Amino acid sequence: MKTSRPVRRGFLVVHVAASACWLGLTLGLLALGVTAGTTGSSETVEASVRAMKLFADWLLIPVALLTFGSGLVLSLGTPWGLARHRWVWTKFWLTLATLTATVFALRPGVNSALTAVAAGGPLPDAGDVLFGPVVSLTAYVFMTAISVLKPWGLTRRGRRLRQATARGERAATGRTTRTEGPGRAADSVAATASTTSTGSRSSTTRASR
């Protein structure tokens, strides 16, 4: 799947904006989780956990899905490909794993914490509100680093595709050379005949004089 340049630029803007929002939300969740786990005020704990639930339910998952989807379109619609370069392939699986953890680990942890503090009890386990944001932030910082550095080179599939492309280009060059060969030979013969004919006419003219 190849996309035009304006479409690629549009998806790139969407991807960068969504990624920045995802990072900001993750930092916000981490700050709220630290607050809930360290404060001695039950009101502050409940307010922090409620804010975390609001972020997780209404903002985090849509932004994560938008980041994942726009990144997938960019990888499939550009020469980078999805499985040609190790850094793209690694980032794809890390993004998918982080998105899955957000749905099945972070949200249930926040919901269980909110249920406990809303009933008037203490925060059952600080890990419920800290583990998810810490893991997400670590994964996101790592993905940002490999997006900038682009390490590790090609995958096996990428090497095979590059070799196949190189063979195709060499074959096309060989066919072009063979196609142009007879034409050049004919041009050479015609030029030689023309030169011979011109020489003969000149000799005849000098003889007549």
Side-chain angles (χ1 to χ4, degrees):
M1 181 183 72
K2 298 299 181 182
T3 56
S4 63
R5 188 176 182 183
V7 172
R8 287 197 301 271
R9 286 184 171 182
F11 273 103
L12 181 60
V13 171
V14 171
H15 183 68
V16 172
S19 300
C21 290
W22 194 2
L23 176 60
L25 286 171
T26 303
L27 288 171
L29 287 170
L30 181 59
L32 290 170
V34 170
T35 301
T38 57
T39 186
S41 170
S42 58
E43 291 82 3
T44 303
V45 171
E46 183 175 355
S48 298
V49 176
R50 286 188 181 278
M52 291 185 72
K53 178 174 173 57
L54 180 64
F55 282 7
D57 287 348
W58 295 99
L59 295 175
L60 192 60
I61 292 179
V63 168
L65 286 172
L66 185 59
T67 303
F68 179 77
S70 58
L72 186 62
V73 172
L74 284 173
S75 62
L76 293 175
T78 62
W80 287 108
L82 180 61
R84 295 183 182 183
H85 295 79
R86 287 192 176 98
W87 74 269
V88 178
W89 195 228
T90 301
K91 185 179 177 182
F92 167 77
W93 286 109
L94 277 177
T95 305
L96 183 60
T98 305
L99 177 59
T100 304
T102 298
V103 175
F104 296 105
L106 190 150
R107 288 185 66 210
V110 171
N111 289 335
S112 64
L114 180 59
T115 301
V117 299
L123 186 68
D125 186 3
D128 291 340
V129 294
L130 285 176
F131 181 73
V134 168
V135 172
S136 296
L137 182 61
T138 302
Y140 193 83
V141 170
F142 178 74
M143 287 187 287
T144 302
I146 64 174
S147 297
V148 174
L149 300 176
K150 298 177 176 55
W152 308 322
L154 297 171
T155 62
R156 292 181 180 179
R157 173 181 170 81
R159 288 194 295 270
R160 288 197 300 267
L161 290 173
R162 177 170 290 184
Q163 291 170 359
T165 301
R167 287 195 297 268
E169 290 176 352
R170 287 196 297 268
T173 302
R175 287 194 299 269
T176 302
T177 302
R178 288 194 298 271
T179 301
E180 292 178 351
R184 291 180 178 176
D187 292 342
S188 177
V189 171
T192 302
S194 175
T195 302
T196 304
S197 176
T198 303
S200 299
R201 287 197 298 271
S202 299
S203 300
T204 304
T205 302
R206 286 196 298 269
S208 63
R209 289 178 180 175

